[in-house]
Amino acid sequence: MGREHVIKGVLQGSIAEELGIEAGDKLIAINDCEIEDVFDYHYYTDEEYLTAIIRKKDGEEWELEIEKEYEEDLGIEFENGLMDDYRSCCNKCIFCFIDQMPAGMRETLYFKDDDSRLSFLQGNYVTLTNMSDYDVERIIKYRLSPINISFHTTNPQLRCRMLNNRFAGEALKKADRFYDAGITMNGQIVLCRGVNDREELERTISDLAGYLPVLESVSVVPVGLSRYREGLYPLEPFTKEDAREVLELIHRWQEKLYPLYGLHFIHASDEWYILAEEELPEEERYDGYLQLENGVGMLRLLLNEFEEALKEAEGNKESDDGTKKVLSLVTGKLAYPYILSMAERMEKAFGFLRINVFGIINDFFGERITVSGLLTGQDIEKQLKGKELGERILLPENVLRSGERVFLDDMTVEELEKALQVRVDIVKSSGRDFVNAILGNS
């Protein structure tokens, strides 16, 4: 047995904890089979009966016989989530945001992943160009789903040009194999003005609709353009008229497909509605929010959750000591009008609140980048310096690196607090968390 997987920790109350497995132990094999990566691990540990070989920190080997519910998790966390090396992207897409980042940022931000295992594990989107026939066969064998695919276009020649990879068109055939095997898929289209929009988008949606219902959803998101595009493909931002045209096309397809499949299937990200100055769709149009990570329905979900939480919380019109509570909210320019409206509703419902809302302009990446998830600590500091901030600032959790209190530019929350001389609280993404954080209930 060649591969050993170091265990980082075990979940409290889990099967692994009951068996005495500890951080620092190593997983050697399951059912006498070497575990190549996370695909193997999930496949073998789904079973109701299994044996696992664990090498303890002192070198002693335990052979554990495990009986559990089907698909019940063992509760083991590994130092390497993939249980293998990460695979980097072999494309050079004309719209890649990593190519639009300035020099001097931390090294991990420049890593381009295109790993099918991350698609299964974390929901990342893959182009299929980095996926071997062996990978496809394992996904089908292990029934791993959903697999999230960056299609961008179904025109093979155009896809080769957009991804700068001569195999990109041929790679689309792997989606056929997933469809034939019944492996659930979700899709993504990064739309580039004058490249894969209009007639090409019509063709792509028409082709992808042929994968329904195995392909459950496809999101259309506008290309993100930073100010660091020197020497890159000349892409232009979409206009208000462009956005309305994109939405008309998407809505037309939704109306056509929903009666046939009970799915709206093709979805526009929130940016299109804001750019077009059109109302967000009602919740039912999002098919259970299958594409939240692509910004599809995030604002609608936030607003609906906010309405519910506000109704439950209303009634307390005064503070305990009768004084005003002043605080500040920080967001990107994209969500600013919605966050401002929510803050005004909170002030009206609770007379003791005064809420300042700041829509931060993204000077770091360029003002065309309007999402809060790409804000930096330095931009927040610069634009809030000298402003009346009140007792504390509330920041959405997506401005920080996952699991850490660090911004994209490596500034920490503590450094921002020191620079602004005010407490900074991090708020989770739901509307309920928004209400509770403002009221000081979280």
Side-chain angles (χ1 to χ4, degrees), residues 268-274 280 286 295-300 334:
S269 64
D270 294 349
E271 296 106 306
W272 295 111
Y273 292 96
I274 294 169
L280 295 170
Y286 289 108
V296 175
M298 288 186 72
L299 288 173
R300 169 53 63 208
L334 182 73

Side-chain angles (χ1 to χ4, degrees), residues 155-327:
N155 178 335
Q157 292 76 32
L158 178 58
R159 195 168 195 261
C160 289
R161 293 200 300 274
M162 289 187 71
L163 274 59
N164 275 306
N165 185 327
R166 62 193 178 96
F167 302 109
E170 186 73 15
L172 287 169
K173 293 180 180 178
K174 292 165 187 170
D176 296 337
R177 295 176 63 185
F178 291 140
Y179 173 77
D180 292 338
I183 300 297
T184 303
M185 297 177 281
N186 292 296
Q188 170 187 256
I189 298 169
V190 173
L191 207 63
C192 300
R193 190 169 187 249
V195 180
N196 62 334
D197 56 349
R198 299 192 170 182
E199 294 83 6
E200 290 292 347
L201 179 59
E202 185 89 48
R203 168 187 171 155
T204 298
I205 296 173
S206 179
D207 289 345
L208 294 180
Y211 290 117
L212 270 161
V214 178
L215 178 61
E216 291 186 321
S217 69
V218 177
S219 61
V220 180
V221 300
V223 62
L225 301 175
S226 85
R227 63 188 180 94
Y228 300 98
R229 288 198 57 83
E230 188 174 347
L232 300 178
Y233 189 95
L235 291 173
E236 298 179 354
F238 286 96
T239 65
K240 176 180 175 180
E241 291 70 29
D242 294 330
R244 289 187 168 180
E245 187 177 307
V246 168
L247 290 176
E248 186 278 326
L249 191 157
I250 288 173
H251 293 161
R252 176 162 44 82
W253 273 98
Q254 287 181 339
E255 290 167 8
K256 178 180 178 180
L257 295 172
Y258 185 76
L260 299 174
Y261 298 97
L263 290 170
H264 293 87
F265 181 64
I266 186 76
H267 302 275
S269 64
D270 294 349
E271 296 106 306
W272 295 111
Y273 292 96
I274 294 169
L275 181 57
E277 297 178 4
E278 293 189 10
E279 287 290 318
L280 295 170
E282 64 277 10
E283 185 171 50
E284 291 71 26
R285 291 259 296 281
Y286 289 108
D287 296 342
Y289 298 110
L290 295 168
Q291 293 266 357
L292 275 178
E293 290 304 312
N294 273 325
V296 175
M298 288 186 72
L299 288 173
R300 169 53 63 208
L301 181 60
L302 176 70
L303 293 172
N304 286 4
E305 290 174 338
F306 169 76
E307 291 291 343
E308 291 178 11
L310 184 60
K311 285 178 185 175
E312 292 175 14
E314 277 182 328
N316 181 13
K317 302 297 182 184
E318 300 296 333
S319 64
D320 294 337
D321 57 9
T323 61
K324 287 275 188 182
K325 287 188 176 181
V326 183
L327 66 149

Side-chain angles (χ1 to χ4, degrees), residues 373-390:
L374 290 173
L375 291 177
T376 57
Q378 60 191 270
D379 279 345
I380 296 170
E381 177 191 347
K382 183 173 67 175
Q383 293 174 46
L384 295 190
K385 203 84 169 178
K387 299 284 175 51
E388 182 188 0
L389 302 174

